[in-house]
Amino acid sequence: MNNNFKGKTVIITGASAGVGAAVARTFAHLGANLVLVARGQSALDKITDELKPITSVINIAMDINDPVANETLLEKAAQQFGSVDVLINNAGFHQRGDVENNQANDLAQMVDVNLRAPIQLACLMLPCLRKEGGGAIVNVGSLAGRTPLQGAATYAATKAGLRAFTYSLADELRDSGIYIGLVSPGPIDTGFIMSEIDQVEDIVFSQPMSSAQQVADAIVSIARGEETEISLPRASGWLTTISYLFPTLRRALRPALYNKGRKAKLQYKRRNSES
């Protein structure tokens, strides 16, 4: 697949709001056919109606935890547009807080949504991409998947697993014309974080906030095969690498990062209350 997405079919999970909606808008303006996936029909209809004047788009309200629904998704996309060229695994779930303060089933659901479902969808997608002679799978990871994060242990584990899967699959498909990669953002200025800001660990806000559009632009770069991973912000990616390699340093820096994040969190809360 070349860098031109005009006429290509792009499946986007978690497409009804936030990063997913920004990705949908970006690919729409690049001329792609869109298959938008999320659980809520009304929110899907809203973004679909917005983009229909720009490009061809269908939506499918479904739960990506349903293996049968995932198989049907690929079939419907191919039937509608004749081919499936790009998969964006964006849907995510985060049950915040320490492990012992959570229900086991909620933690298991995080594994299902953030790791099992993207793996299944990627596996289902590969025959489609082989048939087309190329394409792309882009997974949305997190800085939390690059280094241990207390208060988000299971979430970090799912994103670390998704990152390992992405790099391994990229090696398996090297020179195939199928691009595999992931975007690993820190905090993003969307409802995923901002609507439950009090439950988010202070340390998360120690890193600069990205916009949904910045993440969407990075996803397009990955889909074009320009890089295997993009961390947002880039400097935070370097910081997570250092903290992973040197755990003693990570623990020593943690109080300062919590303090920095706490101050930034208060500023964001003040901004939200004034808007």
Side-chain angles (χ1 to χ4, degrees):
M1 185 180 72
N2 59 30
N3 288 348
N4 181 12
F5 294 103
K6 187 173 181 60
K8 302 297 183 180
T9 301
V10 181
I11 298 175
I12 306 167
T13 69
S16 60
V19 169
V23 173
R25 293 183 184 103
T26 302
F27 275 108
H29 287 287
L30 292 172
N33 305 315
L34 300 179
V35 181
L36 307 183
V37 179
R39 289 179 298 173
Q41 186 68 65
S42 60
L44 271 178
D45 288 341
K46 183 177 180 181
I47 185 70
T48 300
D49 291 343
E50 175 190 332
L51 298 179
K52 272 186 175 179
I54 302 172
T55 192
S56 297
V57 52
I58 63 171
N59 69 54
I60 301 174
M62 55 169 278
D63 184 355
I64 61 170
N65 279 335
D66 184 342
V68 176
N70 287 339
E71 293 179 8
T72 304
L73 165 63
L74 273 293
E75 293 170 1
K76 287 182 177 178
Q79 289 171 0
Q80 179 71 26
F81 295 115
S83 68
V84 185
D85 305 281
V86 179
L87 168 65
I88 311 298
N89 278 316
N90 168 68
F93 173 60
H94 196 346
Q95 186 68 29
R96 304 182 190 280
D98 292 351
V99 170
E100 65 180 338
N101 295 330
N102 272 288
Q103 298 297 315
N105 287 343
D106 290 335
L107 301 184
Q109 185 182 359
M110 261 197 283
V111 176
D112 287 340
V113 174
N114 298 347
L115 184 57
R116 186 199 57 76
I119 289 175
Q120 187 204 15
L121 284 168
C123 186
L124 292 170
M125 186 75 174
L126 290 178
C128 304
L129 301 184
R130 288 289 191 187
K131 180 181 177 182
E132 297 304 316
I137 299 172
V138 184
N139 297 319
V140 177
S142 170
L143 290 181
R146 296 174 54 90
T147 189
L149 182 61
Q150 68 183 65
T154 304
Y155 182 79
T158 62
K159 294 301 186 178
L162 188 62
R163 184 172 185 258
F165 173 76
T166 301
Y167 272 92
S168 300
L169 183 58
D171 282 347
E172 290 179 10
L173 297 174
R174 191 172 299 279
D175 300 322
S176 68
I178 301 172
Y179 303 133
I180 310 294
L182 80 160
V183 177
S184 296
I188 310 169
D189 197 358
T190 67
F192 189 74
I193 284 181
M194 303 310 289
S195 65
E196 48 188 44
I197 190 169
D198 288 330
Q199 285 73 50
V200 179
E201 284 285 309
D202 292 346
I203 195 172
V204 170
F205 298 98
S206 68
Q207 302 308 301
M209 188 87 73
S210 297
S211 69
Q213 188 58 54
Q214 287 174 316
V215 180
D217 291 341
I219 287 170
V220 171
S221 294
I222 297 293
R224 284 177 168 153
E226 295 171 0
E227 298 184 62
T228 301
E229 181 177 12
I230 296 176
S231 297
L232 294 173
R234 298 265 184 180
S236 297
W238 301 330
L239 178 62
T240 56
T241 298
I242 293 170
S243 68
Y244 178 79
L245 293 174
F246 302 98
T248 301
L249 178 61
R250 179 180 74 246
R251 296 186 187 103
L253 289 174
R254 186 172 287 158
L257 291 174
Y258 262 93
N259 186 54
K260 179 182 178 182
R262 193 174 300 112
K263 292 177 180 178
K265 186 176 184 178
L266 287 172
Q267 292 177 344
Y268 289 125
K269 290 178 69 173
R270 201 174 294 122
R271 182 200 71 178
N272 289 351
S273 65
E274 294 171 354
S275 61

